[in-house]
Amino acid sequence: MTIGVERPQGGRLVDQFEYGLDAPICLTWELTYACNLACVHCLSSSGRRDPRELSTDECKALVDEFERMQVFYVNIGGGEPTVRPDFWELLDYAVAHHVGVKFSTNGFRITPERAERLAATDYVDVQISLDGATAAVNDAVRGQGTYDAALRAMANLRAAGMKDFKLSVVCTRHNIGQLDEFKAIADTYGAQLRLTRLRPSGRGADVWDELHPLPHQQRELYDWLVANGDQVLTGDSFFHLSAYGPADGSGALPGLNLCGAGRVVCLVDPVGDVYACPFAIHDQFLAGNLREDGGFDTIWKTAPLFLDLRSPQTGGACTSCSAYDSCRGGCMAAKFFTGLPLDGPDPECVKGNSEGTLARDPERPGSSQDHSHTGTVRNAPVPLTLLRTRPVSACDESPLVAG
Amino acid sequence: MPVLPGAAWELSPSVSLRPEPFGALAYDFVTRKLSFLKSPTLVDVVRRLGDAADVEDALLGAGVPAAERDRYVAALGTLAASGIIRERQAA
């Protein structure tokens, strides 16, 4: 496969993965940019459907291609994938073609009847998003009523006998202190807790400075993850925190602990664009389009961007750091969207090595697509704190009111 | 469960193997667990298990040298522990 790059024989698996695989291990497929919500940190700036989105037939052809490539399962997201009228049809089609599906949802459409159907299929897993262990913390990020909707969906799944579905949490400054509560919620519903990293991608760039965990919270998160080990999934999100461990890498969290972008991971977006990873929806990480560039298999195997990501990378400024073998410089997307060089430290480098560059406020690249709602949304986020200070007197607000 | 060279084993029916340059990925569609087989020869052994008379036969068929036999039997033990291969029931 990987043309032009000579792969060493044997050695550690993680080194092999850096040279890429014949097909991705972990493929995210965002079915639609349409969403009934307007989460403040949405990675894909979703809201409105794109008229160019893949048709039902095109989606089925892509499933056929995944089956031929033995992509064992796909992570389906959006947008809110259940908003697509053909969502359940596509789910059945994938399962019938030996492509397992884990789909992410806000839970609004996981009715008791749907939950029954989901519980009856081995090949389908569900991931409910919840970003606060209390409604106040969650609804501030995800929107009014979304906490209740997520818990209702989990109750329906539990009642249907669905086991080990996922409760997926994006870790923020406001919920790091709630990790035990999240675990308790997951346990209550027979779900498995999954914690992932907030990324400055999509609308996440707008809220990054206010929501990304503070340095002492990163330590708290790392210690919590170490204490809970395999009980909690992380989607390999937090390998930048491995630098808290000893230099020999023994403090690494469970998982591959490498940036899988274009090597073991990629993203197919609703219009058929293939990106290096779900957190990198930007022209700079666009490998090709399914309709124009010969289909998914060809893009995965021959796109120049992917071949480049699979060639040996330099650690740049990080090479001299004692923790480089543990954290590998962190997340490419997090660096890119905060305006940092890709061969330098992560914006959340636990050694503080990005602080100097960030203090100079590097120019951020912005996004190359935006499908955000333009009008009002029924379940809009509810600010956690007042954004403005209280007026000193009524007449500061309105000059017509007598002070 | 120990894998004995004289016993008959097979790939679990819910598991699929995908060849990769380093060996193979093994995915269990029921447990949704992904595992890695880290040598092409081990993949060959696993693929042969189902049709071989016993483990010994599969090792021979895949050309595993006598000196490495124990190492491969131990690797099969790991695969058995994670449910990727299972003991074959007598027909």
Side-chain angles (χ1 to χ4, degrees):
Chain A
M1 49 153 305
T2 313
I3 300 152
V5 182
E6 203 165 317
R7 170 189 296 269
Q9 295 301 305
R12 295 187 306 162
L13 208 50
V14 63
D15 296 330
Q16 289 289 323
F17 287 168
E18 291 193 345
Y19 287 85
L21 298 177
D22 285 357
I25 294 180
C26 180
L27 184 150
T28 300
W29 181 10
E30 298 191 339
L31 272 186
T32 179
Y33 279 117
C35 188
N36 50 329
L37 301 182
C39 302
V40 297
H41 59 350
C42 181
L43 293 168
S44 52
S45 300
S46 285
R48 291 167 294 130
R49 182 181 168 274
D50 192 304
R52 300 165 299 159
E53 288 180 6
L54 300 181
S55 68
T56 306
D57 286 345
E58 285 175 312
C59 288
K60 288 181 176 174
L62 183 55
V63 170
D64 294 342
E65 199 166 12
F66 291 155
E67 184 182 24
R68 283 195 296 276
M69 292 175 76
Q70 285 193 282
V71 173
F72 297 128
Y73 64 94
V74 292
N75 300 302
I76 286 185
E80 169 57 39
T82 63
V83 162
R84 260 187 85 122
D86 58 1
F87 173 74
W88 304 99
E89 178 186 348
L90 291 173
L91 198 64
D92 290 342
Y93 188 84
V95 167
H97 287 79
H98 309 102
V99 177
V101 171
K102 180 175 83 174
F103 73 91
S104 295
T105 176
N106 52 43
F108 272 81
R109 294 182 180 218
I110 308 298
T111 59
E113 297 74 34
R114 291 295 182 199
E116 295 276 350
R117 272 185 67 181
L118 292 168
T121 319
D122 274 340
Y123 284 21
V124 178
D125 198 2
V126 187
Q127 184 162 293
I128 307 286
S129 301
L130 188 75
D131 295 337
T134 52
V137 171
N138 176 77
D139 292 6
V141 170
R142 304 189 52 79
Q144 187 157 33
T146 61
Y147 180 86
D148 291 342
L151 263 60
R152 199 159 52 236
M154 289 196 287
N156 291 340
L157 290 168
R158 178 182 57 182
M162 181 94 180
K163 295 266 188 315
D164 283 332
F165 61 92
K166 311 295 178 284
L167 167 61
S168 190
V169 176
V170 174
C171 293
T172 69
R173 195 170 297 183
H174 302 299
N175 68 23
I176 294 278
Q178 299 184 315
L179 298 177
D180 287 332
E181 284 104 307
F182 281 120
K183 183 75 168 64
I185 294 173
D187 290 346
T188 301
Y189 292 98
Q192 200 172 8
L193 181 60
R194 178 173 183 269
L195 300 177
T196 61
R197 184 177 179 191
L198 176 75
R199 302 289 203 312
S201 318
R203 288 197 294 271
D206 305 334
V207 293
W208 170 257
D209 291 335
E210 300 143 51
L211 288 186
H212 83 92
L214 297 169
H216 74 274
Q217 293 181 310
Q218 294 215 83
R219 180 76 218 200
E220 188 181 337
L221 172 61
Y222 173 78
D223 290 342
W224 196 91
L225 290 170
V226 168
N228 286 271
D230 288 336
Q231 298 293 304
V232 175
L233 305 171
T234 63
D236 241 5
S237 262
F238 298 110
F239 62 93
H240 68 300
L241 299 181
S242 294
Y244 280 128
D248 65 1
S250 60
L253 299 164
L256 297 177
N257 285 301
L258 91 156
C259 169
R263 298 160 163 170
V264 298
V265 172
C266 76
L267 169 85
V268 179
D269 95 335
V271 301
D273 282 340
V274 181
Y275 293 93
C277 101
F279 317 114
I281 303 182
H282 191 280
D283 290 344
Q284 181 147 340
F285 302 105
L286 177 59
N289 183 279
L290 297 178
R291 288 173 174 139
E292 294 153 19
D293 299 305
F296 181 75
D297 191 51
T298 304
I299 293 171
W300 176 260
K301 288 178 179 157
T302 65
L305 171 75
F306 285 172
L307 297 187
D308 184 45
L309 289 170
R310 292 166 198 162
S311 63
Q313 308 285 309
T314 67
C318 289
T319 319
S320 60
C321 177
S322 61
Y324 181 64
D325 282 341
S326 298
C327 76
R328 306 237 163 189
C331 170
M332 180 179 80
K335 294 183 230 196
F336 178 74
F337 286 111
T338 50
L340 293 175
L342 299 188
D343 63 351
D346 187 284
E348 294 184 307
C349 167
V350 304
K351 303 280 186 194
N353 289 335
S354 55
E355 285 168 11
T357 316
L358 288 172
R360 289 195 290 280
D361 203 13
E363 193 183 336
R364 300 183 184 188
S367 58
S368 41
Q369 65 84 23
D370 188 359
H371 290 79
S372 300
H373 289 290
T374 49
T376 50
V377 179
R378 189 199 305 196
N379 301 91
V382 192
L384 192 59
T385 48
L386 287 174
L387 295 177
R388 298 181 306 161
T389 50
R390 277 171 72 94
V392 176
S393 71
C395 103
D396 287 340
E397 275 292 89
S398 166
L400 297 178
V401 176
Chain B
M1 189 190 312
V3 174
L4 300 174
W9 285 69
E10 64 185 356
L11 187 67
S12 294
S14 59
V15 173
S16 280
L17 293 181
R18 179 174 102 200
E20 285 290 346
F22 61 84
L25 300 184
Y27 185 68
D28 189 323
F29 279 97
V30 171
T31 64
R32 303 188 196 112
K33 230 177 105 172
L34 187 69
S35 308
F36 306 99
L37 275 59
K38 297 177 202 171
S39 100
T41 309
L42 180 61
V43 179
D44 192 17
V45 172
V46 169
R47 286 199 190 281
R48 287 167 182 272
L49 282 177
D51 294 323
D54 52 27
V55 171
E56 186 91 41
D57 188 27
L59 291 169
L60 274 174
V64 174
E68 290 183 33
R69 197 76 57 86
D70 291 349
R71 218 160 56 84
Y72 277 83
V73 171
L76 291 174
T78 309
L79 297 179
S82 52
I84 292 166
I85 59 171
R86 67 174 192 185
E87 195 153 23
R88 211 157 72 212
Q89 304 300 316

